[in-house]
Amino acid sequence: MGRRFFAGLAALLLMAGLVALAVYMWTQPRTLKLAVGPLGSDDARLAAALVQGLSREKKPVRLRLVLTEGSAESAKRIDEGKVDLAIVRPDIALPAKADTALITRRSFPFFIGSKDLGTDRISGLRGKRIGVVRAPSGNLDLLKLVLSQYDVSPEAVTIVPLGPEDVAAAITDGHIDALFAVNVLNARVVTETSTRLHRAFGDEPTIIPIREADALAARNRAIESGEIVRGALGGDPPLPAENLPSISITSRLMAAQSLDDARVGELVGAILSLRVTLATDLPAIQGLETPETDKDAPLAVHSGAAAFIDGEQETFFERYGDWFYLGVMALSLLGSGAAGLLGYDSSARRKRAMADLSRLVVLLGAMRTAADEPELSAMEREADAILAGVLASYARGDIDSGGIGAYRFAMDQLGRAATERRIALLEGAAE
């Protein structure tokens, strides 16, 4: 009984320890590697703020930055399995082994020039000098794609790559006739852009919309159609004076397809919860969007993000209920097997301990026919040795009280048989 009790207690303690270890491992925050770049870009600043915010708020998932040269390298890193996440601009590079978790920024490209530009159509830009910010390099490719929609070849215009700090001087000094702007239309950018554009192009700049946005979106799934609403660029009178069609370019947080759905859902929820706490220090975080989860969306959404967005994220027990059930069944079978083994072992030890009882029965018959006193004394010594072994087995728990009762009865019979035989031997010797 004692051995079985301690064996069962040890099994329970082992089970409790395993459950505690599993809970501890599950509740530990997991760190995911995020590829983003280049250093100093809007994407990198957003990623750095997310790293600090997730750590400060003690979220269940954390981020570690892996700096790259831009979207192309970030997409390559996630396809190679070197990182779990990447922030990329899909029109520049779209990873093959990752899906969208969040839209981090949406930009609206458009052409703008002075009121003396002489055209309000993109096809009228032939022969003009068009400035474009060269970082990221995808802006140049995007400009050529838009021009191609209107049969304007790159050779028909003069493309002037500019640094962000060169734009104002290029406009003021007359080095460009129009600017291909790719802007995020949030409050801070609108204020800065409005001031800069009015200073550079005068009070009534000309904005050329991209009217065939739907056609461009149909040709390239990384491009979406959109609209620059009246007054989006500020000013009085408002700029633009009416809603203008345009394309929109997104930057996206991409999650590896192999990444666990639960982790991606936790990450999306944690990041969205930071929009309020980080809004003061990082206004750009207000540009976070949840992607459309429709089956026919141009860019696939990670199943974990889609489950969170659609409110279909599984709870802990929904995800692991089957495993708990199987675990309980396995432990039950293990317990039954252990009990069976313990019972078999106990039965075997009792059988071995009771085996000496048959020897005592043999001795009982032999004592009644012992030829002389020395033979009888030898049998008594053998019976004493057997009794000592029985008492040791009882102390170990191999024999219960019933077994001891049987041995006691046998020893009593042996004592009577020895006494009777000894009397018979003495009477025979006297005769």
Side-chain angles (χ1 to χ4, degrees), residues 15-72:
M15 290 169 54
L18 291 175
V19 170
L21 178 62
V23 172
Y24 173 78
M25 295 299 294
W26 176 258
T27 55
Q28 291 304 297
R30 176 168 176 194
T31 300
L32 304 176
K33 291 184 286 186
L34 168 63
V36 63
L39 181 65
S41 64
D42 291 338
D43 290 336
R45 285 193 290 270
L46 173 64
L50 293 179
V51 170
Q52 296 176 359
L54 293 174
S55 178
R56 183 172 62 248
E57 299 294 327
K58 294 181 171 55
K59 298 297 183 181
V61 62
R62 311 290 172 84
L63 296 176
R64 180 163 65 87
L65 298 188
V66 177
L67 290 175
T68 65
E69 294 299 321
S71 292

Side-chain angles (χ1 to χ4, degrees), residues 100-147:
T100 302
L102 277 175
I103 295 174
T104 58
R105 189 173 71 252
R106 185 178 294 275
S107 305
F108 293 86
F110 58 90
F111 295 87
I112 186 168
S114 68
K115 63 180 179 179
D116 300 325
L117 184 60
T119 183
D120 60 354
R121 300 182 62 83
I122 295 177
S123 58
L125 293 175
R126 289 186 179 88
K128 303 293 186 179
R129 296 165 298 173
I130 303 174
V132 58
V133 176
R134 58 175 173 262
S137 59
N139 288 344
L140 293 171
D141 296 329
L142 182 60
L143 170 59
K144 294 175 182 178
L145 178 65
V146 173
L147 291 175

Side-chain angles (χ1 to χ4, degrees), residues 361-373 375-376 379 414 416-418 420-422 424-425:
V361 173
V362 174
L363 285 176
L364 179 61
M367 280 184 177
R368 296 186 187 280
T369 59
D372 50 29
E373 177 63 27
E375 184 180 357
L376 184 61
M379 292 180 184
L414 285 172
R416 291 193 184 95
E420 292 174 356
R421 186 57 181 167
R422 188 167 280 112
L425 288 175

Side-chain angles (χ1 to χ4, degrees), residues 111-301:
F111 295 87
I112 186 168
S114 68
K115 63 180 179 179
D116 300 325
L117 184 60
T119 183
D120 60 354
R121 300 182 62 83
I122 295 177
S123 58
L125 293 175
R126 289 186 179 88
K128 303 293 186 179
R129 296 165 298 173
I130 303 174
V132 58
V133 176
R134 58 175 173 262
S137 59
N139 288 344
L140 293 171
D141 296 329
L142 182 60
L143 170 59
K144 294 175 182 178
L145 178 65
V146 173
L147 291 175
S148 69
Q149 175 65 34
Y150 299 90
D151 293 328
V152 178
S153 65
E155 293 76 18
V157 297
T158 302
I159 297 177
V160 182
L162 301 170
E165 68 284 353
D166 302 329
V167 174
I171 296 171
T172 304
D173 297 341
H175 293 161
I176 59 174
D177 301 306
L179 175 69
F180 180 65
V182 184
N183 280 351
V184 178
L185 301 182
N186 58 40
R188 180 182 63 81
V189 172
V190 166
T191 301
E192 295 177 356
T193 301
S194 175
T195 302
R196 186 166 61 247
L197 292 180
H198 280 85
R199 184 185 303 119
F201 293 111
D203 293 335
E204 298 182 8
T206 299
I207 295 181
I208 303 177
I210 304 174
R211 300 186 184 279
E212 281 65 40
D214 290 338
L216 282 165
R219 290 171 53 190
N220 191 321
R221 63 183 180 135
I223 295 175
E224 300 177 26
S225 59
E227 190 175 57
I228 303 175
V229 300
R230 171 186 166 89
L233 299 176
D236 186 17
L239 185 68
E242 60 182 5
N243 292 355
L244 298 177
S246 180
I247 58 175
S248 68
I249 304 299
T250 58
S251 291
R252 296 177 177 242
L253 174 65
M254 310 291 289
Q257 295 167 352
S258 58
L259 198 58
D260 180 67
D261 286 358
R263 291 294 180 186
V264 176
E266 286 178 345
L267 175 66
V268 171
I271 291 177
L272 291 177
S273 69
L274 295 177
R275 284 188 292 189
V276 175
T277 57
L278 296 181
T280 302
D281 299 329
L282 187 70
I285 199 171
Q286 295 296 337
L288 289 177
E289 298 178 32
T290 55
E292 295 293 335
T293 58
D294 297 338
K295 298 296 183 181
D296 57 350
L299 299 179
V301 178

